[in-house]
Amino acid sequence: MLNVHNLTVSFAGSDLFSGITFKLNKGDRIGLIGKNGAGKSTLLKVISKDIESSGGTMAFDKDIRIGFLRQDIDFVEGRTILEEAYEAFEEIKQLEAKLDKINEELAERTDYESEYYHDLMVNLNDFSHRYELLGGYNYKGNTEKILQGLGFQREDFDKLTDTFSGGWRMRIELAKLLLQNNDILLLDEPTNHLDIESIIWLENFLKNYSGAIVLVSHDKMFLDNVTNRTIEISLGQIYDYKKPYSQFLLLRGEIKEKQLQAQKNQEKEIKATQLLIDKFRAKANKASMAQSLIKKLDKVERIEVDNDDNAVMNVRFNISKEPGKIVVEAEDLSKSYGDKHVLENVDLLIERNSKIAFVGQNGQGKSTLAKIMVGEIAHGGHLKLGHNVEIGYFAQNQSEHLEPEQTVLEIMENAATDTNRMRVRDMLGAFLFGGEAVDKKAKMLSGGERNRLALCKLLLSPFNVLIMDEPTNHLDIASKNVLKEALKQFDGTLIVVSHDRDFLQGLTTTVYGFKDKVIKEYLGDIDFFLEQHQIENLREAEKRTVVEKKPDTVKKAKQQLSREEEKELKKLKNKLSKIETQIDDLEKEISEIDTALEENYEVVSAKPDFFETYKLKKAEVEKLMEEWSEIEEKIENCS
């Protein structure tokens, strides 16, 4: 599908990466990993042809279709969510317009024998077949399924995209890409704006994706569940292994260990040979032997060990003072945004040193409650902070509030106090802003760098209660690991809003599940929360409503069926099973025809009576579906 050879990208005379070579094959699901600034997003932009490389070549298969989820997107104002999502079907929409125009003409014309009328009918037939092959009769239903999978409600579909935040707009863009059936899918941080339920849904979708995927993500669990290959960009080079992330780490560690051992053995041999050369060089009768050894040594190919970029943040969260036993107490708390009620009648009691995770679908009030706690927004009911409580707050969009024209150093110095101003440079160094990096303007920083700076700035204020809303967005895996370890060592009270399951594992001891304006407490970590729902997909758990009959009731109901009724029921079930088999067989045949048409439309469609046969199969499926529905209804009535 794609052959990349000796690819190099340079900025201001310095190579971001150089000599990169790899192949992308159908079925590859690549996790593209590396530190912030290593060049992951840049590589995706080069593959998508958004930017040009500085050197090297890329060879694509003919007519390859590439879909790219960028971190920055533009939307046309005035479209509803559904209208924007339908933009994924460019050819289908064009055909709809052509078919509408033809049907309008046919309704008005009466010259049935004319050549023009005949041409209209031919075009109508051709366009109709093409429309059907492209999925024209199914695309609206598929669109609704994808949008719901990504967290939208049906009542959202007719709302304008202008009224939604950037995170929700990103979901619409992702939905469009998933609907397009591209050959290559390039995804840059797709989980950043998704809640846990939507992430699990996306995992399952991507596992069954037929094309190739190149995925930039810092979510370890997402990478392990989706990818089958890992490419790491480190210090301008790539390391490519056909393993998901966790297995890649183990394998790369083993390979590096072998490289170190081989290098050590080689150095011993080289040292021994050098000693012989020095010994023989002084003797006239051994000079030729010395020269022979020198030539042999020159031909030795030195074993190199893969270089690692091991620079990580150095973070420590200290409490300012000891607070009282109760840090937050809420009674009958409520919050509405216009007609939308987010929280209702919430009672809450958070004790000192609690470690709590806020989990739930977006829009359920997690960030709202965090903002209420820090006094950022008004609310109904009562909320009281405990004695000596000092809150440190990391907002979800914290990094967006950095003054773009100020340098890293200026931002820190402006936020510092007299007591910690002298430590600003040391603090920045601990967050990997050393040397000239402190003079970079905020607008020039990557998403991960902005997040690191916002975390560093947070430490300038005293706190003993730490509320963090999506702190891992844009942070690379190494930085996330450091942040998690620092939070585990934090002696104060921690409240973290996060969709990152791996980050939450082992970090918190209590989970607050947000759903339908109320909050439910789970005394365990994220794994316990998932186990309580008995499924990994939280969306299914939130939508499921199981009404089970008591065993006695079921038994009694079965006893009331007569022998004739039981016989009829069995007959209906056998007939239903037979129809289901027929439908499956027909749908497989239709799917094979669709695939053949996509690969070679002209040859396949030229066969005698092809479209008539194809249409008959479709009609037969519809007929069987109606029959299946009727029998299913009879079975329900009999039961």
Side-chain angles (χ1 to χ4, degrees), residues 13 176 243 301 309 360 504-505 532 566 581 609 619:
K176 287 160 63 177
K243 299 286 183 183
E301 188 173 337
D309 186 355
L504 291 176
Q505 280 179 332
Q532 286 296 96
E566 285 183 345
T581 302
D609 300 324

Side-chain angles (χ1 to χ4, degrees), residues 218-248:
H218 299 138
D219 185 329
K220 291 191 287 186
M221 193 174 291
F222 186 72
L223 288 168
D224 280 340
N225 290 340
V226 171
T227 64
N228 55 19
R229 181 176 164 193
T230 301
I231 294 180
E232 180 185 25
I233 303 179
S234 179
L235 301 173
Q237 301 298 314
I238 66 166
Y239 302 92
D240 186 355
Y241 297 98
K242 292 184 178 179
K243 299 286 183 183
Y245 179 75
S246 293
Q247 293 180 40
F248 155 79

Side-chain angles (χ1 to χ4, degrees), residues 357-371:
F358 285 180
V359 173
Q361 290 178 303
N362 287 350
Q364 292 292 332
K366 304 185 300 294
S367 297
T368 295
L369 183 55
K371 290 175 182 177

Side-chain angles (χ1 to χ4, degrees), residues 66 149 161 173 214 244 337 384 440 487 490 519 607:
I66 299 176
T161 60
E173 192 68 15
V214 183
Y337 295 98
K384 179 184 176 183
K440 287 175 70 174
L487 291 174
F490 178 53
I519 302 171
K607 293 179 181 179

Side-chain angles (χ1 to χ4, degrees), residues 101-137:
K101 187 176 180 181
I102 290 173
N103 283 318
E104 284 176 11
E105 282 200 64
L106 289 174
E108 294 171 359
R109 301 185 73 93
T110 56
D111 52 338
Y112 307 123
E113 303 300 324
S114 69
E115 185 176 343
Y116 186 79
Y117 193 91
H118 176 264
D119 289 342
L120 282 177
M121 292 299 296
V122 170
N123 288 337
L124 178 66
N125 187 53
D126 290 346
F127 292 157
S128 295
H129 285 311
R130 182 63 181 162
Y131 183 77
E132 187 173 7
L133 289 173
L134 291 173
Y137 299 110

Side-chain angles (χ1 to χ4, degrees), residues 46-190:
V46 171
I47 294 173
S48 67
K49 300 179 183 176
D50 278 13
I51 62 174
E52 292 185 3
S53 66
S54 307
T57 58
M58 293 191 302
F60 294 90
D61 285 353
K62 188 179 179 183
D63 298 325
I64 206 83
R65 294 169 299 174
I66 299 176
F68 183 19
L69 179 69
R70 299 165 178 83
Q71 288 190 1
D72 50 336
I73 54 174
D74 293 320
F75 270 90
V76 176
E77 292 186 359
R79 288 178 184 157
T80 66
I81 287 176
L82 271 182
E83 287 170 345
E84 184 62 45
Y86 291 158
E87 290 298 306
F89 304 98
E90 187 177 347
E91 187 176 354
I92 286 177
K93 291 185 68 181
Q94 290 174 353
L95 285 169
E96 280 183 338
K98 290 177 181 178
L99 288 169
D100 287 344
K101 187 176 180 181
I102 290 173
N103 283 318
E104 284 176 11
E105 282 200 64
L106 289 174
E108 294 171 359
R109 301 185 73 93
T110 56
D111 52 338
Y112 307 123
E113 303 300 324
S114 69
E115 185 176 343
Y116 186 79
Y117 193 91
H118 176 264
D119 289 342
L120 282 177
M121 292 299 296
V122 170
N123 288 337
L124 178 66
N125 187 53
D126 290 346
F127 292 157
S128 295
H129 285 311
R130 182 63 181 162
Y131 183 77
E132 187 173 7
L133 289 173
L134 291 173
Y137 299 110
N138 303 318
Y139 82 94
K140 291 185 178 180
N142 291 336
T143 300
E144 292 186 11
K145 287 179 186 176
I146 296 287
L147 287 172
Q148 287 180 305
L150 291 173
F152 289 97
Q153 304 297 321
R154 283 190 175 275
E155 54 265 31
D156 296 330
F157 290 171
D158 294 324
K159 295 177 182 176
L160 295 176
T161 60
D162 316 14
T163 62
F164 286 81
S165 66
W168 284 100
R169 291 187 183 190
M170 187 67 78
R171 293 187 189 213
I172 302 170
E173 192 68 15
L174 177 57
K176 287 160 63 177
L177 286 179
L178 299 183
L179 287 162
Q180 285 173 345
N181 294 321
N182 291 292
D183 301 300
I184 298 175
L185 197 55
L186 308 176
L187 302 176
D188 196 355
E189 296 283 10

